[in-house]
Amino acid sequence: MSLSKFESMLKTNNVYFFDSVEFEEIIQHYLDNGKHSLAKKAVKLGLEQHPTSVILKLLKVELLIFEDKLQKATSLLNELEAVEPNNEDLLIQKATILSKNNKHKEAIEAFRKVLPVTEDKVDIWSMIGMEYLYLDDFENARLNFANCIEVDFEDYSSLYNVVYCFDMENNHEEAISFLINYIDSNPYCEVAWHQLGRQYFVVGKFKEALRAFDYAVIIDEGFIGGYLEKAKTLEELERYEEAIQNYLITLELDDPTAFVYVRVGECYQQLGDLETAVKYYKKAVHEDPLLDKGWLLLTNLYQNDNQYQKALYYISKALQIDENNAVYWRKYAEINLKLNFYDETVKAFYKCIDLEDQSVEVYVALSDVLLFLGEFTDALKIMIKAKSIYKEFAEIEYRLCGLFMLTNKEKYSLIHLKNGLAIDAEYREIIKELYPTVFENEKVQAIINDYIKAKS
């Protein structure tokens, strides 16, 4: 009734009287529902009618903090502290301002001053835990969140935070022990079983993880996260048909997701049922056309099946989504090479290099395609660039030998031939394969024969 009366007053411009408790309830209602402008109006009117109310002034502080008007909030708190120095809400707001100013150590000390005067220690421990998280002090954060759980076993937010701290410390075995102890006291907590399964999964104990996820979904048959983790674990155990069944359960419980379609498709691919795998990959990209992984999976499947035209179509889709992905450009280059689309192949390999995919395979492949196209100078430039990165690679040295000879720089050609022989003499056959006229050169043959004699 107070709320209706207040909103009626705002519409009619009539002024009604409310006691301070009514204003407090009205303001808190608006804050809880995110209606900060109305809360602000209620604070203003409330303080006009009750100018000495500490509670209303503290609510004004809360709004000032929300608006990042921290200096004004601090000034008002200092005034209130002179009146009620041990006011719990005042101390909390002081600590909150310190936190907002990134003074987390001071905020922790300020929150600790609240503990002796509050009946709700759980909220304060939780706030202290968050401050320690800001400092990446996961051990102290965990201890404070654990205090919350000791008081309230159903404080799942704190439970998640405890496990998160263990994760950040890579203390998975300790996390397992903690969760087992927790489950002993609260055996029907599907959240704890789920988190226990996740920890077992991380350390590679997949059978134990599966058992934990089984308990989670038995306790809560609608626990989607439990079914997803169970399905992932079954995949690790190579029980793909059971994994598919669990993924499909999630589709019955909630709207379909591209993630689930992809996982189901991968399971069918593992089972060798490529037709059904394609069906689910296509469902995934239909559900989320921007899911580049779905397009890539279709690309790989058709590429492995030597269906290069289809593979090219799908990798082009992936590139439309993420044109700065070097992995996709390399895949695009490889497929175009299979289709003898050499100009596109060259463009794609150059794009890989521009995107800082400077692996030796990219340089070598690009150089070989340019050689095939008769672009000897460009091929040589690529190999010189590769040489600046990879100092002692036989595949580079022999190609430099061939390309320098083809561009009439015999002196450099023979130097790189000797370099290649010193690194890997057996690999010299690449000269015969790629540069047969160079291989037959008398000086090249003489150096090779001298090297063989010296080693025999």
Side-chain angles (χ1 to χ4, degrees):
M1 289 181 65
S2 297
L3 189 64
S4 300
K5 183 180 170 184
F6 178 77
E7 293 185 352
S8 173
M9 182 180 75
L10 293 178
K11 291 174 184 176
T12 61
N13 288 326
N14 294 327
V15 178
Y16 302 136
F17 179 82
F18 299 86
D19 64 36
S20 62
V21 174
E22 287 178 305
F23 268 119
E24 181 186 346
E25 290 173 351
I26 290 167
I27 295 162
Q28 199 60 58
H29 169 82
Y30 286 137
L31 288 173
D32 291 343
N33 287 277
K35 297 179 179 179
H36 292 92
S37 60
L38 287 171
K40 200 172 177 180
K41 288 179 182 178
V43 166
K44 183 177 181 294
L45 291 167
L47 286 172
E48 286 175 0
Q49 293 186 13
H50 307 280
T52 61
S53 170
V54 172
I55 293 175
L56 293 179
K57 288 180 180 179
L58 284 169
L59 288 168
K60 182 178 180 179
V61 168
E62 187 172 341
L63 282 164
L64 288 169
I65 292 172
F66 176 79
E67 294 172 343
D68 276 333
K69 296 177 179 177
L70 303 182
Q71 194 168 349
K72 286 185 178 181
T74 301
S75 297
L76 184 51
L77 280 175
N78 290 337
E79 292 175 19
L80 293 171
E81 192 171 20
V83 181
E84 292 191 21
N86 293 319
N87 183 293
E88 177 183 336
D89 291 328
L90 184 149
L91 294 171
I92 290 172
Q93 299 294 13
K94 283 190 72 173
T96 301
I97 290 172
L98 288 167
S99 179
K100 284 263 189 179
N101 284 319
N102 294 321
K103 296 178 179 179
H104 301 297
K105 290 182 180 179
E106 293 93 327
I108 290 167
E109 292 307 313
F111 278 125
R112 283 196 175 129
K113 290 177 182 177
V114 184
L115 288 171
V117 299
T118 185
E119 292 182 1
D120 191 1
K121 289 182 167 50
V122 169
D123 279 349
I124 305 305
W125 281 322
S126 181
M127 291 175 188
I128 293 172
M130 290 306 299
E131 295 303 314
Y132 277 119
L133 284 183
Y134 292 135
L135 295 168
D136 291 339
D137 185 344
F138 300 109
E139 182 177 0
N140 278 310
R142 174 169 51 80
L143 294 173
N144 279 277
F145 290 126
N147 286 339
C148 300
I149 296 169
E150 286 182 16
V151 175
D152 180 6
F153 259 76
E154 294 186 355
D155 184 355
Y156 296 145
S157 176
S158 291
L159 179 62
Y160 281 122
N161 281 327
V162 167
V163 176
Y164 171 77
C165 291
F166 277 124
D167 281 338
M168 295 306 293
E169 295 174 293
N170 288 319
N171 286 336
H172 301 294
E173 293 296 344
E174 287 185 41
I176 289 168
S177 298
F178 174 86
L179 288 164
I180 289 172
N181 289 333
Y182 178 91
I183 288 168
D184 285 342
S185 301
N186 193 8
Y188 298 105
C189 176
E190 71 279 9
V191 173
W193 282 110
H194 175 254
Q195 291 298 307
L196 179 61
R198 284 186 60 253
Q199 295 301 315
Y200 278 131
F201 188 95
V202 169
V203 298
K205 295 181 178 179
F206 300 118
K207 290 182 179 178
E208 291 86 346
L210 183 61
R211 176 175 170 270
F213 293 133
D214 274 334
Y215 277 119
V217 296
I218 288 170
I219 295 166
D220 180 359
E221 294 181 354
F223 190 3
I224 294 174
Y227 287 111
L228 286 173
E229 297 291 350
K230 181 181 175 184
K232 286 166 62 178
T233 306
L234 287 163
E235 282 190 69
E236 292 292 337
L237 294 168
E238 299 183 3
R239 292 160 61 176
Y240 299 111
E241 291 177 353
E242 293 172 74
I244 290 168
Q245 291 170 10
N246 280 273
Y247 282 128
L248 294 180
I249 288 172
T250 69
L251 299 179
E252 296 171 6
L253 293 172
D254 200 1
D255 294 333
T257 65
F259 169 79
V260 170
Y261 285 141
V262 162
R263 300 300 293 219
V264 172
E266 288 180 310
C267 287
Y268 275 114
Q269 189 167 350
Q270 289 290 342
L271 291 168
D273 187 346
L274 302 186
E275 185 177 343
T276 309
V278 167
K279 172 185 165 185
Y280 276 95
Y281 292 151
K282 287 182 177 179
K283 282 188 175 193
V285 294
H286 177 77
E287 187 67 32
D288 181 4
L290 297 179
L291 182 70
D292 44 342
K293 182 184 178 182
W295 298 114
L296 183 63
L297 286 165
L298 284 163
T299 299
N300 290 338
L301 194 147
Y302 283 117
Q303 185 182 12
N304 293 337
D305 199 38
N306 298 328
Q307 297 187 52
Y308 298 115
Q309 284 286 3
K310 288 184 177 180
L312 182 61
Y313 171 78
Y314 289 116
I315 196 60
S316 297
K317 286 284 191 180
L319 280 168
Q320 287 173 18
I321 297 164
D322 185 1
E323 63 178 8
N324 293 319
N325 189 313
V327 173
Y328 297 169
W329 279 109
R330 191 196 288 204
K331 184 76 64 176
Y332 182 78
E334 292 168 355
I335 295 166
N336 274 289
L337 186 58
K338 289 289 185 180
L339 291 167
N340 298 328
F341 298 159
Y342 299 113
D343 288 341
E344 285 297 307
T345 303
V346 168
K347 181 185 83 172
F349 278 133
Y350 271 122
K351 188 69 176 178
C352 289
I353 294 170
D354 289 342
L355 292 171
E356 298 186 358
D357 177 2
Q358 300 195 351
S359 56
V360 67
E361 294 84 3
V362 168
Y363 283 110
V364 165
L366 175 55
S367 175
D368 289 351
V369 176
L370 289 168
L371 170 70
F372 178 79
L373 294 173
E375 305 287 347
F376 302 145
T377 302
D378 288 342
L380 179 59
K381 287 178 181 177
I382 289 298
M383 280 296 96
I384 290 171
K385 189 172 182 180
K387 170 71 174 175
S388 69
I389 302 169
Y390 301 98
K391 304 301 181 186
E392 293 188 4
F393 276 68
E395 52 262 61
I396 294 174
E397 298 294 344
Y398 287 125
R399 282 172 172 83
L400 284 169
C401 165
L403 290 165
F404 271 123
M405 189 68 77
L406 291 175
T407 52
N408 301 314
K409 296 181 176 66
E410 183 182 276
K411 176 183 174 183
Y412 295 113
S413 171
L414 299 179
I415 290 171
H416 288 289
L417 172 61
K418 292 174 183 177
N419 290 345
L421 290 168
I423 297 167
D424 184 349
E426 296 296 323
Y427 197 70
R428 67 181 182 274
E429 290 298 311
I430 196 69
I431 304 177
K432 184 177 182 181
E433 181 181 331
L434 294 177
Y435 316 95
T437 58
V438 174
F439 186 77
E440 292 167 4
N441 180 283
E442 289 183 5
K443 291 183 179 179
V444 169
Q445 282 295 314
I447 289 173
I448 292 173
N449 291 330
D450 288 346
Y451 181 86
I452 294 170
K453 288 177 183 176
K455 290 293 180 180
S456 61

